[in-house]
Amino acid sequence: MAQLFFKYGAMNSGKSIEIIKVAHNYEEQGKPVLLFTSGLDDRDEVGSISSRIGFKRTAIPIFAETDIFNMVRNYHPRPHCVLVDEAQFLTKTHVLQLAKIVDECNIPVMGFGLKNDFRNELFEGSKYLLLYADKVEEMKTICWFCERKATMNLRIDSNGKPVYTGDQIQIGGNESYYPVCRRCYLHPPI
């Protein structure tokens, strides 16, 4: 029976490399998958899943008006799995569409993304994946500054100083965010 999975973690926890690995494992067995990613993420290029260690895959970009359910339902050959990177940027409607893919098409769906933003607030997509997912799994990484588990994302400005206010969405990598533990989030050693 298919299920909806949400695999979340702080920045640098290996979410993108994991989605590429899962896709490879299915495809190596001759089982097609559909890869999606947020149309907001333009770090590499729109419609691209890129890991920090250099692996890259083309994916279907998701925008506000994208109907994921109909895309998957009408796709041939029928995918054995649907994989979604940057799932924190999904809307509630998108998450409900993913649940519908699982429930009506019996296709497993795995969403990978951040749980919380740099202000330590839930993203919309993450909130609804936490509510609707059949299984939730944390992907772990270590704090940028100490040896504790990173559970938060610290935004930094161009001078390397912490930022705690501003727009929720600012696309960036190590030049803009560090994975940190709670202590280093509240009292960063920079």
Side-chain angles (χ1 to χ4, degrees), residues 4 69 90-104 128-129 132:
L4 175 58
F69 175 76
L90 297 174
T91 64
K92 179 181 181 181
T93 299
H94 291 134
V95 172
L96 292 173
Q97 290 170 3
L98 296 179
K100 191 174 177 182
I101 291 165
V102 171
D103 297 340
E104 294 185 18
Y128 289 103
L129 280 164
Y132 287 99

Side-chain angles (χ1 to χ4, degrees), residues 18-187:
E18 180 70 14
I19 198 171
I20 292 169
K21 181 183 90 172
V22 170
H24 172 78
N25 289 343
Y26 271 92
E27 292 166 343
E28 189 174 43
Q29 297 175 20
K31 299 172 182 170
V33 299
L34 270 178
L35 289 159
F36 290 90
T37 191
S38 172
L40 297 175
D41 187 356
D42 60 359
R43 280 177 291 176
D44 197 2
E45 61 184 81
V46 173
S48 179
I49 298 172
S50 299
S51 73
R52 295 177 197 281
I53 61 172
F55 291 99
K56 183 177 173 178
R57 288 289 302 260
T58 300
I60 300 166
I62 298 171
F63 300 98
E65 67 278 1
T66 302
D67 185 336
I68 306 168
F69 175 76
N70 278 321
M71 290 180 81
V72 171
R73 184 179 61 177
N74 296 321
Y75 190 82
H76 296 287
R78 183 179 188 273
H80 283 253
C81 187
V82 173
L83 304 166
V84 182
D85 199 25
E86 303 294 347
Q88 71 271 9
F89 298 137
L90 297 174
T91 64
K92 179 181 181 181
T93 299
H94 291 134
V95 172
L96 292 173
Q97 290 170 3
L98 296 179
K100 191 174 177 182
I101 291 165
V102 171
D103 297 340
E104 294 185 18
C105 301
N106 198 34
I107 298 172
V109 176
M110 296 181 188
F112 295 78
L114 300 171
K115 181 180 72 171
N116 40 310
D117 66 16
F118 77 103
R119 299 171 301 190
N120 211 27
E121 308 247 344
L122 292 175
F123 286 95
E124 180 178 358
S126 304
K127 173 184 173 181
Y128 289 103
L129 280 164
L130 287 167
L131 291 170
Y132 287 99
D134 298 300
K135 292 194 177 174
V136 176
E137 179 183 327
E138 180 183 20
M139 298 181 68
K140 297 172 180 70
T141 191
I142 58 171
C143 178
W144 192 267
F145 301 109
C146 72
E147 301 301 318
R148 289 186 173 94
K149 180 178 82 167
T151 58
M152 301 178 184
N153 304 295
L154 181 66
R155 183 183 284 177
I156 54 170
D157 65 17
S158 59
N159 297 317
K161 301 295 178 198
V163 176
Y164 297 99
T165 60
D167 293 336
Q168 182 181 48
I169 298 173
Q170 175 185 309
I171 305 299
N174 290 342
E175 77 289 346
S176 301
Y177 296 97
Y178 294 146
V180 295
C181 66
R182 180 182 58 243
R183 183 180 73 176
C184 291
Y185 177 84
L186 295 172
H187 307 287

